[in-house]
Amino acid sequence: MAAPSPTLPPADSAASTSRSVTHETRRLLALAWPVMLTSLNWTILHVTDVIVVGLTGTQEVAALGASRALTYIGIVVVLGWLSGVLVFVSRADGAGDLPETGRVLHEGLVLGLVLGLASGGILFAFAHPLLLMVGVEPGIAPAGARVVQVMALAYPFQLLSIAASFFLEGVSRPRRVMVVQLSVLPLNAVLAWAWSGGHLGFPAWGAVGAAAATATASAFGAVAMLYAAWTLPRAHERGVRRLRDWRPDGMIRLLRFGLVPAIASGLELAGFSILIALSTQLGEASAHAFQIVFSVHNITFGVALGLGSAAGVRVGNAIGEGRPEQAAWRAGLAAGLAALATGAMALGILIAAPGIVGAFPAINAVEAIGVGMLVAWAPFILFDGVQVVFVYALRSMGDQVAAGLNGIASFFVVTGGLGWWLVHTGWGSLGLVYASGAGMVAAALLNGARLWWVSARSRPRS
């Protein structure tokens, strides 16, 4: 007998199937939209930096872009190392083990603080040589290193915030995360404007000022996120306020689970950082244009990330509930929603590309390059949206190693390697776009095939 499709829920009739799909769609969207807005908030924060720094000159934007070749890698590595918080909290919540959810939170906070201090310290001490190592133009590297050093100060605060936000998402309270993140946005915008451009009586610090604004806003956000977890309904039953309720072996479990996602996340973003570094070699106009495209990508990625997080929580709930047969179709439904959302966004980008690029302060040469890159890149975001959902689902199913290896192959080997080859064979700025898109397609195919195989292996044989 043929096995049932993993993308459909088991049901006794067409009517019950329709009700199950409708119910699960609502659950996914309820979990996804706050995370989308949270991700959009972070994107707006970074876009704000690009805009306000763009008012101070293309050279400052190039320094900001060069710094992100390192700071983005650093933050996603440690973020990947904390990914187990979401997985283990959602599983415990699905099983009804409330004290375990609080215990995982505490273990995540301790781990986040340790990782934040360690990674921030490394970036602060070795910013300049690390920028040169990843291929940033030597003339831009000193200014970029100063930005990296300021951003390194934010790492401990950002990782405490990430651990608490993963906990809140894992217990299906993403709206609290959203509220905190949205409250940070105005503070960062005002400080970035004042400190980068020399307003409100402050000196003009350029890109360094924008980085200082982000660090300050991150500290405020960490305090607010911890308060959101502390005041959670049923916080007492979850043991949120029992600060000593954590286990060294629990931290080790998080470290082990997050090891491959951390390495994979770092190498995946290293592939994009290679593209950032290559853009600096194409000139300041190309570097500025690529930052605009990268900022737009962060918006579309945020939508996918919301559905990915929702899929991870619902798949984790299914595992905790002892119903692993529900995991694959929940992931498939989330992937379908991601494809619809990112496909619609791709169409909008194709129609409105000149207006989107024009919203960023830039010289005419930057706008011309940016429009061409954005139009070429837009069709690929559908694949990016789907692959994010697959990754989160695979992690919650305990298959994070395979998901990590697929990510390394797609975004480090394909994106990084192809980008280097295309730029050095004369493709110019469009080579950066095609390398990025090829990695997205590869990740969607590899992770989709892996999810199908894992779900097929777990089905009962007849």
Side-chain angles (χ1 to χ4, degrees):
M1 181 182 294
S5 169
T7 58
L8 291 175
D12 297 324
S13 67
S16 62
T17 298
S18 177
R19 287 194 297 269
S20 297
V21 171
T22 301
H23 172 74
E24 188 59 33
T25 298
R26 289 174 176 170
R27 290 291 302 270
L28 286 167
L29 293 177
L31 291 170
W33 74 261
V35 180
M36 291 179 188
L37 289 181
T38 298
S39 300
L40 180 61
N41 171 75
W42 276 103
T43 300
I44 293 175
L45 185 149
H46 291 295
V47 170
T48 299
D49 288 348
V50 173
I51 291 175
V52 298
V53 174
L55 296 173
T56 68
T58 298
Q59 185 176 5
E60 290 295 321
V61 177
L64 180 66
S67 73
R68 291 178 176 178
L70 276 186
T71 57
Y72 275 177
I73 293 178
I75 200 67
V76 300
V77 166
V78 288
L79 191 151
W81 232 323
L82 291 173
S83 61
V85 175
L86 176 67
V87 171
F88 294 124
V89 167
S90 64
R91 288 182 182 178
D93 202 49
D97 189 352
L98 301 187
E100 177 64 12
T101 64
R103 190 174 298 116
V104 174
L105 166 65
H106 299 146
E107 291 160 357
L109 290 174
V110 174
L111 180 58
L113 182 60
V114 171
L115 292 174
L117 291 171
S119 57
I122 291 171
L123 286 181
F124 189 90
F126 303 105
H128 188 262
L130 287 173
L131 284 173
L132 294 177
M133 184 183 300
V134 298
V136 170
E137 172 64 33
I140 299 176
R146 290 190 290 272
V147 180
V148 170
Q149 289 178 320
V150 175
M151 282 300 302
L153 301 176
Y155 269 42
F157 302 109
Q158 288 180 340
L159 293 191
L160 286 174
S161 182
I162 288 168
S165 67
F166 277 167
F167 162 75
L168 290 168
E169 291 173 20
V171 298
S172 300
R173 292 284 183 168
R175 295 187 189 184
R176 289 183 166 238
V177 180
M178 176 191 69
V179 171
V180 170
Q181 297 291 9
L182 291 179
S183 70
V184 170
L185 187 60
L187 175 64
N188 177 81
V190 172
L191 293 179
W193 170 75
W195 291 350
S196 66
H199 305 289
L200 302 180
F202 292 99
W205 292 327
V208 170
T214 299
T216 303
S218 296
F220 172 81
V223 174
M225 196 70 74
L226 292 172
Y227 179 78
W230 185 269
T231 58
L232 188 70
R234 306 186 72 183
H236 177 73
E237 292 92 330
R238 294 185 184 278
V240 170
R241 299 169 188 173
R242 293 195 294 270
L243 299 181
R244 296 184 179 181
D245 185 19
W246 61 277
R247 304 158 301 187
D249 60 331
M251 279 186 58
I252 293 172
R253 179 179 67 162
L254 288 175
L255 277 170
R256 286 177 176 171
F257 182 93
L259 177 61
V260 173
I263 295 172
S265 296
L267 290 177
E268 288 171 24
L269 197 54
F272 285 99
S273 294
I274 290 172
L275 300 187
I276 293 174
L278 288 169
S279 74
T280 67
Q281 297 177 14
L282 295 172
E284 290 183 352
S286 291
H288 191 166
F290 190 64
Q291 280 300 302
I292 293 174
V293 174
F294 200 66
S295 296
V296 176
H297 166 262
N298 288 340
I299 296 174
T300 63
F301 186 77
V303 173
L305 194 63
L307 286 162
S309 174
V313 171
R314 294 299 291 146
V315 169
N317 290 161
I319 301 299
E321 293 162 2
R323 298 194 298 164
E325 73 280 357
Q326 294 282 311
W329 85 264
R330 290 179 181 180
L333 182 58
L337 294 172
L340 288 173
T342 53
M345 295 180 75
L347 182 61
I349 289 172
L350 289 172
I351 295 171
I356 293 172
V357 175
F360 293 82
I363 61 177
N364 291 337
V366 172
E367 291 187 2
I369 296 171
V371 170
M373 295 175 73
L374 196 58
V375 168
W377 168 80
F380 293 108
I381 66 173
L382 186 149
F383 298 95
D384 199 31
V386 170
Q387 68 90 18
V388 172
V389 171
F390 291 156
V391 168
Y392 271 81
L394 287 169
R395 287 179 180 176
S396 289
M397 295 172 76
D399 202 32
Q400 76 277 9
V401 173
L405 294 176
N406 288 340
I408 293 171
S410 301
F411 294 113
F412 183 66
V413 177
V414 174
T415 292
L418 184 61
W420 183 91
W421 182 80
L422 289 174
V423 168
H424 286 88
T425 53
W427 286 75
S429 58
L430 286 180
L432 305 175
V433 172
Y434 295 137
S436 170
M440 296 172 186
V441 173
L445 294 176
L446 289 173
N447 286 316
R450 180 66 183 183
L451 181 62
W452 177 85
W453 186 83
V454 170
S455 60
R457 187 181 59 176
S458 65
R459 293 188 214 120
R461 303 293 180 181
S462 58

